Amino acid sequence: MSSRGTRELEELSVLLELSQKINISTDLQDILNTLLDILSRKMGMTRGTITLLKPYTDDLLIEAAHGMSYDARKRGHYKLGEGITGKVASSGKPMVISNINDEPRFLNKTKSRNELDKKNISFICVPIKIGKETIGALSVDKLFQKDISLDEDLRLLTIISSMVGQAVKIHRAINEERDKLRAEAEKLRSQLSEKFNFTNIIGNSSQMHDVYVQIHQASKGNASILIRGESGTGKELVAHAIHYNSIRSAKPFVKVNCAAIPAELIEAELFGHEKGAFTDAHQQKKGKFELAHGGTILLDEVGDLSMPTQVKLLRVLQEKEFERVGGIETIKTNFRLISATNKNLEAMIKDGLFREDLYYRLNVFCIFLPPLRDRRTDILLLAEHFLKTYAEENNKKINRISTPAIDMMMTYHWPGNVRELENCIERAVLVCDGETIHGHHLPPSLQTSTQKERAEDISFAEKVATYEKDLIIDALKATRGNISKTAELLRVTVRVVGYKMKQYNIDYKNYR
C-alpha cells in the first residue's frame, strides 16, 4: 500500500475513534484529553493544546494539553488577537507556521519548548467553531511524519476541530439544561412547601409585630441579613419571607445548613469543585454560591463555620467572586446573603472562634426572633394552627384543645420553642381518638412540669416566691421591660422591683 493510502487509513482510524468517544461520553474534559491522546498515539504528535474562549470575556484558557506540565498549562493564558493562538481565535482562520523560530508572533507563553526544540518545530493552529462563532483553537506541534505536507495536517485538524466544536456545543446544552432543571426543581420544592408570605408566620404579640416590620424593611434592599434566635424559633421561615417578598423572588433560594456538613466538605459544598479535586470528585460540581446567582443564599448555623472557611466566605462577600475547590478559574456571582445562628457571636469573637470582620459583614441588618416563652400570647394561636394542619393531614376531626391542656402549654417553658410546640401538637393529634385534645394527649414533659408545679409538697415560701416571680414577669411583659412602669403597675417602689428581680434572676431586657 502507498504512503498516501496508509495516511488515509490512519486519518480514518483517528476520526472513527474520536467520533466513538464523542458518542458515548458527555464529559467534555474526557473527550478533549482522549483526542490529544489519539493524535499522540496514532499520528505522532509531540505536543498539542485545546484552548477555549471563556464565556463573556476575551480570555482564552487551555482546557486540555498533551506534552506539557501543569505549570506550563497555567501559563497558557491568551487574549483574543494575542499571538498565533489569539489571532486564530479572533479571525476564525487557521494558521500554519513552518518554523516557529522564525515567527515573531509565536509567543511560547507556556515555555514548554526550549530554544533547541524550536528550530525543528512546525506549528499548526485551527479555529474551533460552533456555527459561525469561534469558541477556541486547536494547536499542535508538527505532529506527523516529515514526508507528510503541512497542508494534509491542516486538512485533518480542520475536520477534527469541527467535531470538537460539536462536542462543546452538546456539552454546553446539557449543562445549561441540567442547571435550569435543578434551579426550577429547587424553586418548585420551596414554593410548594409554603407560600412564604407574612401570613405564614403566626403571632400577634408585640415582639412579633416588630419582627414583621423588620421583615418588610429587609425585603426592600440587598443588604446582608443576620437572623438571630434560639433553635426552633422560625429563623428559616423568616429568611423565606424576606426572599419571596424581595426583588429576587423569581430567582433561586438556596439553603445551606453549615452545622450539618462536615468541616472537610463545607468548602466544596459552598464553592463547588472541579473534577479530580479530591477523592470521589468524579465530575465538576457547582457550589451553592454559584447556584444562588441572582437570588438569595441562606447560611443557617453560620456560627459553626471553621476559621479557614470564614476567611474564604469573607472574600466572597467582599469581592463577589471565588474559585471552585481544585480550580483556577475565578467565578463571579451576584447573590444576597441571609445568615442565621443561635450562637452568641460576640462571645465567640472574644474567644477567637469567629472573625470580627466577618461578623460586621454579616450583621448589616439584624432580626432577633424571641423565644416562645417570651411571647406566651402566641402559644394558643400556634397550637390551633398546628392542630388544624395535622388534623387535616391525618384525616381527623379534632375541633379544639381543652382548658387543662391549654393551661399545661401556657405554663411550660418550651426550650425547643415553636418547633417543640409543633411536634407536641402533631403527637397529640396522632394519639387523640376524639374531637378534643386533652392533657393526657400531650407529651410527658408537659405533664411532669404541671404536676411538679401543683405538687402538694411545695412549701409556702416557694409558692409565694413563684407567685411573686409570675407577677413581676407579667408586669414586665405588659410594660415591655420598663422597670418604673412595672413598679407603678404593681404599686411598689422601683427599689423593691429591682431587689425582687435580682432575687429571682429576672432580666428586664428579655421583655423589651
Side-chain angles (χ1 to χ4, degrees), residues 1 19 51 71 89 110 112-113 129 131 137 141 166 200 213 227 269 283 337 371 395 416 427:
M1 185 180 292
S19 63
T51 55
D71 290 336
T110 62
S112 57
R113 308 167 182 86
K129 296 183 177 182
D141 288 1
Q166 288 302 309
N200 289 108
V213 171
I227 305 174
E269 191 70 21
Q283 61 183 7
L337 176 66
N395 298 315
R427 176 191 184 279

Side-chain angles (χ1 to χ4, degrees), residues 79-90:
K79 294 285 186 180
L80 282 177
E82 181 184 24
I84 302 299
T85 301
K87 183 72 174 176
V88 169
S90 176

Side-chain angles (χ1 to χ4, degrees), residues 293-332:
H293 181 68
T296 305
I297 183 170
L298 169 64
L299 297 184
D300 199 5
E301 307 297 348
V302 71
D304 287 274
L305 290 176
S306 65
M307 292 297 282
T309 305
Q310 290 179 36
V311 174
K312 295 190 176 182
L313 175 59
L314 181 63
R315 183 210 167 190
V316 175
L317 294 179
Q318 290 174 335
E319 308 296 337
K320 299 290 185 180
E321 64 181 31
F322 59 93
E323 290 82 33
R324 298 191 189 104
V325 175
I328 59 175
E329 178 186 2
T330 298
I331 300 168
K332 292 188 177 291

Side-chain angles (χ1 to χ4, degrees), residues 241-256:
I242 292 172
H243 172 73
Y244 284 103
N245 285 278
S246 73
I247 57 175
R248 296 174 178 265
S249 59
K251 298 295 183 178
F253 180 82
V254 179
K255 298 175 287 185
V256 183

Side-chain angles (χ1 to χ4, degrees), residues 181-200:
L181 289 173
R182 284 176 178 170
E184 288 178 354
E186 180 64 28
K187 182 178 178 181
L188 284 173
R189 280 194 295 268
S190 298
Q191 289 180 329
L192 287 173
S193 60
E194 292 230 302
K195 292 298 181 181
F196 300 121
N197 54 41
F198 289 74
T199 59
N200 289 108

Side-chain angles (χ1 to χ4, degrees), residues 201-212 214-215 227-235 238 341 367-379 382 413-419 477 480 509-512:
I201 303 176
I202 309 297
N204 247 338
S205 61
S206 58
Q207 296 98 321
M208 291 307 297
H209 280 291
D210 291 340
V211 171
Y212 300 149
Q214 289 179 308
I215 292 174
I227 305 174
R228 308 187 70 165
E230 295 179 6
S231 179
T233 51
K235 297 186 289 294
V238 170
T341 184
I367 299 176
F368 175 75
L369 295 184
L372 188 56
R373 61 182 174 275
D374 289 347
R375 54 184 186 108
R376 293 188 180 275
T377 54
D378 293 334
I379 291 176
L382 288 162
H413 59 290
W414 297 109
N417 294 294
V418 179
R419 186 182 294 123
K477 288 179 180 177
R480 300 189 67 181
K509 295 177 182 178
N510 292 331
Y511 305 97
R512 283 182 169 177

Side-chain angles (χ1 to χ4, degrees), residues 347-362:
M348 292 179 66
I349 292 172
K350 290 181 180 179
D351 295 337
L353 299 175
F354 201 85
R355 292 182 62 94
E356 187 173 9
D357 46 5
L358 176 59
Y359 169 78
Y360 290 118
R361 282 282 178 180
L362 299 177

Side-chain angles (χ1 to χ4, degrees), residues 216-275:
H216 179 70
Q217 293 170 336
S219 300
K220 294 180 179 179
N222 278 310
S224 297
I225 308 295
L226 178 61
I227 305 174
R228 308 187 70 165
E230 295 179 6
S231 179
T233 51
K235 297 186 289 294
E236 185 176 319
L237 191 60
V238 170
H240 275 104
I242 292 172
H243 172 73
Y244 284 103
N245 285 278
S246 73
I247 57 175
R248 296 174 178 265
S249 59
K251 298 295 183 178
F253 180 82
V254 179
K255 298 175 287 185
V256 183
N257 188 325
C258 302
I261 304 172
E264 62 271 16
L265 297 179
I266 186 69
E267 288 184 23
E269 191 70 21
L270 292 177
F271 309 122
H273 61 76
E274 297 292 348
K275 179 182 177 181

